């Protein structure tokens, strides 16, 4: 699944570790989500959306 996570993170000057700490996941998980190697669970997708103040559909895009 494509996503805008890397762009959104960069706009806030966060590195992957910063984002991971805020979400309670590993930096490796953030990397895997950003590169499309891993699709987050629905609860994690909601946490990500809440953190950025966006809807899930604004972050995660259909292929």
């Amino acid at each position: 699944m494509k996503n805008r996570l890397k762009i959104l993170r960069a706009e806030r000057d966060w590195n992957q570790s910063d984002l991971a700490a805020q979400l309670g996941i590993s930096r490796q998980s953030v990397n895997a989500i950003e590169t499309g190697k891993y699709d987050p669970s629905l609860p994690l997708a909601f946490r990500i959306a809440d953190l950025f103040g966006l809807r899930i559909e604004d972050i995660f895009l259909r292929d």
Side-chain angles (χ1 to χ4, degrees), residues 1-18:
M1 176 183 318
K2 294 181 182 180
N3 65 75
R4 299 179 48 225
L5 194 56
K6 184 175 183 176
I7 295 165
L8 294 168
R9 177 177 58 76
E11 287 174 351
R12 287 156 179 81
D13 292 323
W14 295 343
N15 60 36
Q16 288 181 341
S17 295
D18 295 333

Side-chain angles (χ1 to χ4, degrees), residues 17-60:
S17 295
D18 295 333
L19 180 57
Q22 293 185 61
L23 295 171
I25 62 175
S26 70
R27 185 203 57 79
Q28 291 86 350
S29 293
V30 170
N31 182 272
I33 294 168
E34 286 184 356
T35 58
K37 295 178 182 171
Y38 170 73
D39 292 335
S41 66
L42 191 54
L44 177 54
F46 273 112
R47 288 201 320 266
I48 293 168
D50 289 344
L51 180 64
F52 288 105
L54 298 169
R55 299 176 309 149
I56 289 174
E57 306 91 82
D58 295 330
I59 300 172
F60 298 96

